[in-house]
Amino acid sequence: MQQTQERTSAVVSLEEQFQQKIDSEIRIEPKDWMPEAYRKTLIRQIGQHAHSEVVGMLPEGNWITRAPSLKRKAILLAKIQDEAGHGLYLYSAAETLGVSRDEMIEELHSGKAKYSSIFNYPTLTWADIGAIGWLVDGAAILNQIPLCRCSYGPYARAMVRICKEESFHQRQGFDILYTLAQGSPEQRAMAQDAINRWYWPAVMMFGPSDADSVHSAQSMRWKIKRFSNDELRQRFIDMIAEQVKVLGLTLPDPDLKWNPERGHYDHGPINWEEFWNVVNGNGPCNRERLRARREAWEKGAWVREAALAYAEKKARRAAQKEETQAA
């Protein structure tokens, strides 16, 4: 009984020390003691973030061969390549928490692990690539800049480069929409249609409202997150409501109005039923996205096997060389 109490007291003491480090803005590193719940929260969040970057390549990849010019194709290719790199940075950060990349990918392919619901919508026209860059990457930037100050070191450091590249992605998307908005009536209509379809899903990207969020409060206490879902969503709406004026287009929210008393834009109701329907696997492209990822994983098996065989052969040669030198 006494030993049990002593162990419990030791854990409490470690948790207190851990929280003191968090409160003092001292980053947690992989070898530091951390509560199991903190580790699991990070694995879930970083894994979901990594999956979102990789799955996010799919709707844009659909337009590589159909980009309207060689310049646009080269820019889109660079953007998609960036997103692949982001996924690799994040998988590497998650691995420092004791989970393997294969485990995370298996959870994605089985449907157990989630990714951002926004990537379950189709890209119907070239303007959708602009809307993704402006709206989706714009929302991602607001979400991710505070993560550069995340309490977990490897995650925070990975986010520095990711955020710099995401800012390029947003400007690329805005440039596409701006060019279309200055074009023919058909091009202008295409840009407006893309905004109409992507705006509300982008608003939902910040997750459920604070009252309904399961993880938000604890993540903020641990300083994994710095701002609540609703705070970030409001910043996004305020930003987009001003930027759309430069495009000369409109947002699909008849209730959008500046509120001088709050110093923010008021907005209409969010369709949370649609959000949860997509999150639960019933969006327009959920099955298509997972099928594409599983097929890519299966077709790439020979590459992974060849790389592993090469690494093993290289290790054997190094070992033989050491033995020869020792002799």
Side-chain angles (χ1 to χ4, degrees):
M1 181 68 177
Q2 185 178 354
Q3 289 180 343
T4 302
Q5 289 177 340
E6 288 176 354
R7 284 197 296 269
T8 303
S9 177
V11 170
V12 170
S13 178
L14 286 171
E15 288 184 348
E16 288 174 349
Q17 293 173 33
F18 171 82
Q19 190 60 49
Q20 285 172 3
K21 289 178 70 174
I22 297 288
D23 295 339
S24 301
E25 299 290 343
I26 299 173
R27 280 187 174 157
I28 307 301
E29 298 297 340
K31 292 184 179 180
D32 294 341
W33 185 92
M34 64 187 74
E36 183 63 16
Y38 177 83
R39 188 183 75 86
K40 288 183 176 179
T41 297
L42 281 168
I43 290 174
R44 176 188 57 78
Q45 180 171 327
I46 300 174
Q48 179 177 320
H49 193 167
H51 300 328
S52 298
E53 295 285 355
V54 173
V55 175
M57 298 162 63
L58 297 174
E60 293 175 308
N62 189 39
W63 280 90
I64 290 175
T65 59
R66 295 183 285 170
S69 69
L70 182 59
K71 176 184 175 181
R72 293 292 186 190
K73 179 181 290 189
I75 294 171
L76 182 58
L77 277 167
K79 181 179 189 292
I80 293 171
Q81 179 177 288
D82 285 348
E83 288 162 353
H86 297 173
L88 293 176
Y89 305 152
L90 293 165
Y91 284 133
S92 295
E95 285 177 319
T96 65
L97 291 158
V99 61
S100 73
R101 194 168 306 194
D102 285 351
E103 286 178 86
M104 288 184 282
I105 291 173
E106 173 57 33
E107 288 191 347
L108 170 65
H109 292 170
S110 69
K112 181 180 179 181
K114 303 298 183 184
Y115 55 88
S116 180
S117 60
I118 194 75
F119 299 118
N120 290 310
Y121 291 86
T123 45
L124 305 179
T125 70
W126 171 250
D128 287 33
I129 303 303
I132 288 175
W134 178 46
L135 295 172
V136 176
D137 292 322
I141 289 170
L142 288 176
N143 248 328
Q144 294 171 7
I145 286 177
L147 291 173
C148 295
R149 296 188 291 126
C150 171
S151 61
Y152 187 60
Y155 193 18
R157 289 188 286 273
M159 291 312 305
V160 173
R161 178 169 179 173
I162 290 174
C163 286
K164 289 179 179 179
E165 292 176 349
E166 290 290 3
S167 65
F168 153 72
H169 299 168
Q170 187 191 27
R171 291 195 296 273
Q172 173 248 2
F174 189 85
D175 180 65
I176 290 174
L177 291 178
Y178 185 80
T179 302
L180 291 171
Q182 305 304 308
S184 66
E186 292 80 8
Q187 289 173 318
R188 186 178 178 83
M190 182 167 54
Q192 182 63 65
D193 174 66
I195 292 172
N196 291 347
R197 287 183 289 105
W198 286 92
Y199 174 71
W200 282 113
V203 169
M204 297 177 199
M205 275 181 68
F206 297 93
S209 62
D210 295 340
D212 298 323
S213 178
V214 177
H215 305 287
S216 188
Q218 182 61 73
S219 291
M220 289 179 66
R221 182 169 179 267
W222 281 330
K223 296 188 179 180
I224 296 172
K225 291 177 62 172
R226 296 282 176 161
F227 303 99
S228 71
N229 296 350
D230 288 338
E231 284 181 287
L232 293 172
R233 191 181 350 266
Q234 184 66 67
R235 290 186 183 190
F236 174 72
I237 292 171
D238 291 347
M239 177 181 74
I240 296 301
E242 290 298 320
Q243 291 179 355
V244 77
K245 296 176 183 177
V246 179
L247 294 174
L249 301 172
T250 60
L251 298 176
D253 182 359
D255 297 324
L256 188 69
K257 185 179 179 181
W258 177 254
N259 185 328
E261 293 182 2
R262 293 200 311 122
H264 295 287
Y265 277 90
D266 292 334
H267 60 84
I270 298 171
N271 186 350
W272 290 117
E273 183 179 348
E274 176 186 344
F275 172 79
W276 289 115
N277 192 47
V278 177
V279 167
N280 291 326
N282 300 312
C285 299
N286 286 68
R287 294 171 182 80
E288 178 184 335
R289 299 289 184 246
L290 282 180
R291 183 171 62 250
R293 287 307 313 153
R294 284 194 292 263
E295 288 178 357
W297 181 256
E298 291 165 3
K299 290 179 180 178
W302 70 272
V303 179
R304 296 191 298 275
E305 291 167 4
L308 181 61
Y310 175 76
E312 290 174 347
K313 184 177 181 180
K314 189 175 180 181
R316 284 196 301 271
R317 285 181 175 175
Q320 289 170 357
K321 186 177 180 180
E322 287 181 3
E323 290 176 2
T324 303
Q325 290 174 343

